[in-house]
């Protein structure tokens, strides 16, 4: 096989712009894939296509974008400008799609016209590939925002010679968000620019479902952990898509590959965000981080109080109901809790109110703040992540690397990465059921074990020794590509 052209299309990518774990994955996977040679000893050429959001304000990178040119994207009757900018690093070409009408907004998502915005982006990504004269072997799309790419390739571009041999892969990072619209010809034809006769590809339970369309029109579908790939066969996890998941599974199209974390970026020995750097050999320096965080957040300064950290979106499937039920009881203990995140205003306000009651013990920061998040990983003794569903989860891996012992529910990627200390090679505390009492008893166990300095040090050592790097996962992705290209 000659050099393979792999094009990755996604709506977020570190270090340019991020709202969640997707950005971490798109930030590290491409470089890892580019490093690996395929079985014939050839390298892969990887390109990444992203939207150029006005929210991309990190000037270290933004100032380095080079203008490549422009093309026009036809979306139904609309003829839209599509500027192309480029940034290259570590052998990867990143292309940014410019169109301020769609991407000059104060957030990435959450607008009434998200469907149109990402239909434009999906089509623009394909037009950019043509404009750049790339003939892709693989087009690998991520989450519903790019789900129309394989649909367009199967319909609008069906006869395009360039894509005749292209294989399509779709990765589900979270099935909670599917891109669902009412089945309306105006949306199908006028907004998505598809023919009425292609509606069946997107149709699911009487609605237009972009994620379903992507599953239907991709050669392989993967999700971000083996356990999640099993779980989404069930209605409870699949949020309605279980029939489609069952179908692709029966066709042998479904894979589950656990994500890794970028060990260079998430490295407490080199992390500039920390108050004090430390490593496996100096975990006691974590205490210095804790003390400084306590000062910074107005918590009682005392290095002997176990600190529980949470860095999370404040939404139901992250287990916020469990937290809400157990938090008052937890806060009766000799403990401190720091919670960083944004999400449903219901949880935001609940936590803000509770913070007022437990001043000095509970600190709630309603923000998405990467610098602070790493200070929290470094300062926490315990990291709470009681997700109801968790496709992969990266926070539990980062927590281990920073020596904060994770308490997780056995689901999705949490089940695939964290083992209870009662088992061989334990690296955290694991509970099974969606039950606040069960979670609470794990929290109380951890708080109690914290006082046993020797045991705790052993636990921290075990957690910090875990290898959650990308090497294995990237290999599995490349194997999946090769299977398709055989
Ligand atoms: C989504 C999922 C999370 C996963 C991440 C990266 O944010 O909710 O579990 O780790 O995508 O794949």
């Amino acid at each position: 096989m000659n050099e393979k052209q792999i094009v990755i299309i996604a709506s977020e990518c570190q270090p340019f712009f991020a709202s969640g774990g997707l950005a971490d994955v798109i930030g590290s996977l491409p470089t890892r894939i580019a490093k690996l040679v395929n079985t014939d000893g050839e390298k892969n050429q990887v390109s990444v296509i992203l939207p150029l959001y006005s929210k991309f304000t990190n000037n270290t990178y933004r100032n380095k974008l080079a203008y490549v040119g422009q093309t026009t994207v036809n979306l139904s009757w609309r003829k839209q400008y599509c500027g192309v900018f480029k940034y290259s690093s570590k052998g990867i070409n990143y292309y940014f799609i410019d169109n301020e009408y769609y991407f000059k907004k104060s957030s990435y998502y959450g607008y009434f016209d998200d469907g149109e915005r990402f239909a434009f982006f999906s089509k623009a990504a394909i037009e950019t590939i043509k404009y750049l004269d790339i003939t892709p072997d693989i087009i690998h799309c991520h989450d519903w925002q790019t789900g129309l790419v394989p649909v367009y390739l199967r319909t609008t571009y069906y006869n395009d010679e360039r894509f005749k041999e292209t294989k399509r892969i779709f990765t589900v990072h979270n099935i909670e968000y599917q891109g669902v619209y009412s089945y309306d010809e105006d949306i199908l034809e006028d907004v998505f620019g598809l023919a009425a006769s292609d509606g069946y590809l997107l149709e699911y339970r009487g609605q237009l479902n972009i994620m379903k369309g992507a599953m239907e029109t991709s050669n392989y579908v993967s999700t971000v952990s083996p356990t999640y790939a099993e779980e989404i066969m069930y209605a409870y996890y699949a949020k309605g898509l279980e029939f489609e998941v069952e179908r692709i599974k029966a066709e042998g199209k479904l894979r589950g590959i656990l994500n890794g974390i970028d060990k260079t970026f998430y490295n407490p020995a080199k992390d500039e965000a920390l108050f004090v750097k430390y490593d496996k050999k100096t975990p006691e320096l974590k205490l210095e981080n804790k003390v400084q965080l306590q000062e910074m957040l107005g918590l009682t300064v005392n290095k002997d109080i176990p600190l529980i950290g949470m860095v999370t979106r404040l939404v139901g499937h992250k287990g916020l109901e469990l937290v809400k039920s157990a938090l008052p009881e937890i806060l009766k203990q000799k403990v401190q809790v720091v919670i960083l995140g944004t999400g449903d205003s219901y949880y935001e306000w609940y936590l803000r109110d509770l913070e007022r009651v437990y001043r000095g013990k509970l600190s709630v920061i309603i923000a998405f703040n990467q610098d602070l998040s790493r200070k929290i990983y470094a300062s926490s003794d315990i990291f709470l992540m009681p997700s109801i569903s968790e496709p992969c989860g990266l926070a539990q891996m980062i927590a281990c690397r920073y020596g904060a012992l994770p308490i997780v529910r056995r689901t999705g990627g949490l089940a695939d990465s964290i083992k209870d200390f009662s088992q061989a090679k334990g690296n955290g505390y694991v509970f099974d059921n969606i039950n606040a009492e069960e979670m609470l008893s794990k929290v109380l166990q951890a708080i109690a074990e914290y006082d046993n300095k020797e045991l705790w040090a052993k636990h921290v050592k075990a957690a910090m020794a875990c290898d959650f790097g990308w090497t294995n996962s990237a290999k599995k992705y490349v194997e999946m590509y090769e299977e398709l290209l055989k």
Side-chain angles (χ1 to χ4, degrees):
M1 281 198 284
N2 2 341
E3 183 182 80
K4 293 291 173 237
Q5 286 286 347
I6 293 159
V7 179
I8 291 173
I9 308 174
S11 59
E12 294 182 25
C13 180
Q14 285 279 25
F16 314 121
F17 33 79
S19 83
L22 169 68
D24 280 78
V25 174
I26 305 304
S28 19
L29 181 62
T31 42
R32 304 310 300 243
I33 287 173
K35 268 197 200 147
L36 290 173
V37 289
N38 61 38
T39 37
D40 291 337
E42 299 287 351
K43 284 235 163 170
N44 300 306
Q45 175 59 57
V46 186
S47 311
V48 181
I49 304 183
L50 303 161
L52 184 56
Y53 301 105
S54 56
K55 225 175 123 76
F56 175 11
T57 50
N58 183 339
N59 280 334
T60 321
Y61 299 100
R62 181 129 195 172
N63 289 342
K64 290 195 185 124
L65 298 193
Y67 175 70
V68 177
Q70 71 174 71
T71 178
T72 302
V73 174
N74 297 332
L75 203 61
S76 183
W77 49 268
R78 299 173 202 81
K79 305 225 173 311
Q80 303 288 34
Y81 159 81
C82 165
V84 181
F85 286 79
K86 180 178 174 181
Y87 170 75
S88 300
S89 165
K90 298 185 189 154
I92 313 287
N93 293 325
Y94 297 89
Y95 296 102
F96 296 85
I97 306 285
D98 177 34
N99 180 311
E100 292 199 340
Y101 172 68
Y102 290 121
F103 302 129
K104 191 175 174 190
K105 309 249 180 193
S106 57
S107 285
Y108 305 116
Y109 321 115
Y111 298 97
F112 78 97
D113 62 345
D114 277 1
E116 181 181 330
R117 294 171 68 223
F118 289 100
F120 165 78
F121 174 60
S122 299
K123 205 146 189 212
I126 298 175
E127 286 300 329
T128 299
I129 294 171
K130 294 180 68 167
Y131 178 78
L132 296 168
D133 198 17
I134 295 172
T135 304
D137 295 284
I138 300 271
I139 293 187
H140 187 169
C141 298
H142 298 262
D143 274 354
W144 80 265
Q145 290 86 348
T146 59
L148 285 173
V149 172
V151 176
Y152 289 136
L153 291 172
R154 258 282 296 276
T155 54
T156 321
Y157 298 87
Y158 188 72
N159 285 318
D160 195 317
E161 277 303 317
R162 179 181 301 276
F163 301 113
K164 273 263 151 24
E165 303 293 327
T166 303
K167 301 292 181 203
R168 305 173 292 270
I169 299 183
F170 182 70
T171 296
V172 177
H173 292 262
N174 200 338
I175 212 164
E176 295 270 336
Y177 309 103
Q178 300 173 1
V180 180
Y181 297 88
S182 58
Y183 201 126
D184 181 325
E185 260 145 42
D186 280 349
I187 295 182
L188 182 67
E189 296 173 55
D190 200 83
V191 178
F192 297 162
L194 288 162
S197 56
D198 291 326
Y200 77 98
L201 290 170
L202 297 181
E203 192 278 329
Y204 191 75
R205 292 181 161 173
Q207 292 177 303
L208 292 173
N209 185 314
I210 295 182
M211 190 171 267
K212 184 266 183 177
M215 290 181 166
E216 190 86 10
T217 54
S218 293
N219 300 93
Y220 272 166
V221 175
S222 77
T223 185
V224 287
S225 70
T227 297
Y228 194 62
E230 294 295 324
E231 287 174 342
I232 56 174
M233 302 263 297
Y234 301 99
Y236 183 75
Y237 288 98
K239 303 289 155 188
L241 262 187
E242 59 276 10
F243 296 119
E244 179 63 16
V245 175
E246 211 181 313
R247 221 178 54 75
I248 57 167
K249 173 115 182 174
E251 286 176 12
K253 278 175 36 172
L254 182 64
R255 298 280 181 281
I257 303 176
L258 192 70
N259 290 326
I261 52 168
D262 182 337
K263 288 199 298 183
T264 319
F265 183 74
Y266 292 112
N267 179 2
K270 301 234 166 90
D271 192 337
E272 294 299 333
L274 307 196
F275 297 110
V276 181
K277 294 174 195 147
Y278 61 96
D279 62 20
K280 275 184 227 164
K281 290 187 199 108
T282 53
E284 66 282 358
L285 292 179
K286 272 182 74 63
L287 294 182
E288 186 54 35
N289 280 290
K290 176 158 75 178
V291 166
Q292 294 209 35
L293 188 77
Q294 286 169 333
E295 275 166 13
M296 179 178 151
L297 299 179
L299 294 167
T300 307
V301 177
N302 179 343
K303 67 178 174 27
D304 294 324
I305 298 182
L307 178 69
I308 303 179
M310 284 188 79
V311 176
T312 180
R313 266 178 298 131
L314 302 172
V315 293
H317 66 263
K318 292 288 182 185
L320 264 291
E321 276 309 312
L322 298 182
V323 174
K324 196 170 161 250
S325 308
L327 210 46
E329 191 57 39
I330 293 173
L331 286 164
K332 280 188 197 150
Q333 314 299 316
K334 181 188 147 203
V335 76
Q336 292 179 348
V337 180
V338 174
I339 302 176
L340 169 68
T342 61
D344 294 348
S345 53
Y346 169 74
Y347 292 120
E348 293 183 354
W349 282 108
Y350 168 77
L351 290 170
R352 276 187 173 127
D353 286 345
L354 202 67
E355 186 188 32
R356 254 176 251 139
V357 182
Y358 291 95
R359 256 198 219 299
K361 280 196 104 169
L362 170 66
S363 172
V364 176
I365 308 102
I366 304 297
F368 179 84
N369 182 332
Q370 300 185 50
D371 183 87
L372 181 56
S373 77
R374 273 140 51 216
K375 287 186 168 68
I376 294 174
Y377 290 115
S379 308
S380 300
D381 300 294
I382 299 165
F383 189 83
L384 183 58
M385 195 168 177
S387 306
I388 306 303
S389 65
E390 194 60 75
C392 175
L394 303 171
Q396 80 281 13
M397 302 184 189
I398 304 169
C400 281
R401 190 151 166 78
Y402 283 65
L405 304 183
I407 299 180
V408 305
R409 192 179 88 77
R410 196 188 312 280
T411 184
L414 297 174
D416 293 334
S417 57
I418 305 300
K419 259 191 174 179
D420 193 81
F421 283 123
S422 59
Q423 288 178 291
K425 297 205 173 145
N427 57 353
Y429 298 91
V430 184
F431 65 97
D432 280 282
N433 296 302
I434 303 170
N435 178 320
E437 291 292 325
E438 244 185 76
M439 181 189 90
L440 179 63
S441 82
K442 279 290 164 190
V443 174
L444 297 181
Q445 183 191 341
I447 293 173
E449 291 188 359
Y450 180 80
D451 282 333
N452 181 342
K453 294 290 168 228
E454 211 175 300
L455 178 68
W456 197 259
K458 224 174 93 197
H459 283 346
V460 171
K461 199 169 162 208
M464 289 183 82
C466 294
D467 181 1
F468 290 121
W470 266 106
T471 310
N472 270 329
S473 317
K475 257 193 219 142
K476 292 201 176 121
Y477 276 103
V478 172
E479 276 162 25
M480 173 163 73
Y481 293 170
E482 294 202 320
E483 243 176 78
L484 274 179
L485 296 174
K486 262 207 290 260

